[in-house]
Amino acid sequence: MTVCIACGSTKVEPFLDLHETTLANKFLAPEEIGAVEPRHPLVVGFCPECSHVQLTHLVPPAAMFEDYLYISSLSKTLVGHLHGLAATVIERFKLGADDLFIDVGCNDGTLLSEAKRRGVRILGIDPAKNLAPLAKKNGVDTLVAFFGTETAAKVVAEHGKASVVTATNVFPHIPVLDDLVKGLDVVLKPGGVFVAEAHYLGDLLDACAFDTVYHEHCSYWSLHAAQYMFQRHGFEVVDIQRLPIHHGQLRLFAMRKGEGQPTAAVATLLAEEVKRGMTGIECYRAFAKRVEAIREELHAAFAGFKAAGKTVVGYGAPAKGNTLLSYIGFGPEQLAYIADKSPLKQGRVTPGTHIPVVGPERLLADQPDYVLLLAWNFADEILVEQAEYRARGGKFILPVPEVKIV
Ligand SMILES: [Zn+2]
């Protein structure tokens, strides 16, 4: 039985079945091929009580986050974004040397190092043991733990109460949020604010980004569901911002009810969600139909390539590419290899589908006829980088929001 992460109801209704898949970040080294890869159902459901959208089968977070390979400071865009967030929060809430600034899921300390530079007291919290030394190098002390009431009480005893708690890209990952929000009530001082960023469900629907769905992401947040959840715990969303990063994020500011004055932006986005039908399941059933259509179009296109003797490979090996490959049912027979810039992934194969990952120079060396772009969210950048391949007649296939060849 699925329990709604936002409201606790047991009425979560499945609307999109992406089949059983392996964990999307478990790229295999050559010696690991052949070992049993655990598979988990990847099904998305809608809660009619609070409009929350989430997975119906949750994988325990310990299996995914205690050894984490994604490091914030490797992306220039992300570093700029996180430093900007630190500045925004410190200026808006007029934080000074007496204020404690906590970042939950602090990763390598990128956000907090900027807060520290601006003279605020800081504390990082993250369950990934491998990241704490990296954060330390950036001048950020980390408590290696999941955040909840227990961790919050420990923090208050050792450091006092916090003025601000941030959590970027953490909220979608947590299968049980009640204890996290209760922890906020323990750790925040009166008038304190919680700032969360998560990919926004409205943007996911616009881009038909069904491949954003994988087991690390338990929740796909709308403002409706977030507001419902916070209100259940005596908090409320007092402001929101839409952000272009990661193909559409929502930044929300939550405070204890009555401690802040909600802005017009909150009411506006809530109204927009109702207008779009995001509070009813029909909207999501229509989304599932679009996803199905993409699968059929890709199959038809690849059947045509095969009949014409064309060669096809993939570009980009992000975690989400594995949702797409597994759902479409593509393996090495359809894509001889996938080119990716990350040396950590080259030489490995994709989880479940076992497509070899190679360096991007292979595109020019082999000049395949078509390239399926799995990292479609970086299309602009990649099409420019691969100008030579395209000038020689190579074509890219963009899978979403609908299949397009460029
Ligand atoms: Zn619910």
Side-chain angles (χ1 to χ4, degrees):
M1 194 165 59
T2 309
V3 176
C4 174
I5 293 169
C7 81
S9 101
T10 52
K11 296 178 189 158
V12 178
E13 198 176 334
F15 63 83
L16 175 63
D17 185 349
L18 295 167
H19 309 162
E20 288 207 328
T21 66
T22 54
L23 294 181
N25 270 312
K26 299 273 182 207
F27 285 81
L28 306 176
E31 65 274 16
E32 292 171 311
I33 302 168
V36 176
E37 291 172 85
R39 288 176 178 270
H40 312 270
L42 189 57
V43 179
V44 195
F46 169 79
C47 172
E49 289 288 318
C50 73
S51 303
H52 189 46
V53 169
Q54 67 172 71
L55 297 187
T56 60
H57 295 72
L58 303 170
V59 177
M64 298 185 281
F65 299 116
E66 285 182 351
D67 188 23
Y68 205 52
L69 295 178
Y70 189 87
I71 295 167
S72 308
S73 61
L74 291 185
S75 158
K76 258 189 205 158
T77 317
L78 191 52
V79 170
H81 172 76
L82 293 171
H83 286 182
L85 172 59
T88 301
V89 168
I90 289 167
E91 282 159 23
R92 178 164 175 171
F93 299 99
K94 301 184 172 56
L95 304 185
D98 292 337
D99 291 294
L100 178 62
F101 188 137
I102 293 176
D103 189 27
V104 173
C106 67
N107 199 276
D108 64 357
T110 301
L111 169 70
L112 286 180
S113 63
E114 176 64 11
K116 187 179 180 180
R117 196 184 67 77
R118 288 170 176 267
V120 179
R121 278 200 301 139
I122 56 161
L123 177 67
I125 300 175
D126 200 299
K129 296 182 189 86
N130 64 314
L131 293 176
L134 295 177
K136 183 89 191 166
K137 244 167 93 183
N138 288 328
V140 175
D141 284 325
T142 308
L143 188 59
V144 178
F146 284 99
F147 182 80
T149 44
E150 205 179 299
T151 305
K154 199 172 153 191
V155 169
V156 172
E158 289 172 18
H159 304 268
K161 292 205 173 194
S163 304
V164 172
V165 177
T166 50
T168 59
N169 244 319
V170 167
F171 235 43
H173 293 127
I174 302 177
V176 182
L177 275 173
D178 284 358
D179 192 53
L180 185 146
V181 183
K182 282 182 188 148
L184 292 174
D185 194 29
V186 173
V187 87
L188 281 173
K189 67 184 194 189
V193 64
F194 175 58
V195 186
E197 289 182 7
H199 47 237
Y200 177 52
L201 181 60
D203 292 318
L204 187 156
L205 295 174
D206 287 340
C208 201
F210 71 92
D211 54 355
T212 306
V213 177
Y214 48 90
H215 292 102
E216 278 188 16
H217 298 154
C218 329
S219 288
Y220 304 85
W221 288 96
S222 64
L223 180 54
H224 263 89
Q227 185 67 296
Y228 196 107
M229 183 196 60
F230 281 115
Q231 287 182 345
R232 213 159 56 87
H233 291 285
F235 281 74
E236 65 182 336
V237 178
V238 293
D239 196 15
I240 57 104
Q241 290 167 348
R242 302 275 298 273
L243 309 165
I245 192 164
H246 298 312
H247 235 267
Q249 294 235 320
L250 186 64
R251 175 183 289 168
L252 54 84
F253 298 79
M255 298 174 83
R256 288 186 194 87
K257 208 165 174 43
E259 288 187 349
Q261 184 62 44
T263 63
V266 175
T268 304
L269 189 58
L270 286 172
E272 192 185 309
E273 288 183 352
V274 172
K275 204 171 153 205
R276 291 186 61 172
M278 285 170 64
T279 50
I281 195 165
E282 282 318 311
C283 164
Y284 303 100
R285 291 203 195 285
F287 165 68
K289 285 211 175 86
R290 287 171 69 199
V291 174
E292 180 70 27
I294 287 172
R295 182 165 69 157
E296 283 168 16
E297 274 180 58
L298 282 174
H299 275 286
F302 274 67
F305 299 151
K306 197 177 175 187
K310 303 289 187 192
T311 49
V312 196
V313 303
Y315 192 99
K320 65 197 177 104
N322 293 318
T323 293
L324 188 138
L325 293 171
S326 133
Y327 172 69
I328 307 288
F330 282 0
E333 203 165 294
Q334 286 76 23
L335 302 176
Y337 57 79
I338 294 172
D340 191 280
K341 279 195 279 190
S342 167
L344 290 177
K345 288 178 178 162
Q346 291 164 14
R348 294 180 174 247
V349 303
T350 53
T353 50
H354 297 182
I355 303 171
V357 181
V358 303
E361 65 284 355
R362 281 287 291 278
L363 290 194
L364 282 181
D366 298 350
Q367 194 63 33
D369 298 305
Y370 293 96
V371 178
L372 176 62
L373 187 55
L374 297 164
W376 51 263
N377 46 328
F378 293 107
D380 294 345
E381 186 181 323
I382 292 165
L383 293 184
V384 169
E385 283 170 4
Q386 295 301 331
E388 177 62 20
Y389 163 76
R390 296 177 74 211
R392 293 188 196 169
K395 302 266 187 224
F396 274 91
I397 308 161
L398 301 177
V400 299
E402 58 248 326
V403 179
K404 202 164 102 186
I405 295 178
V406 295

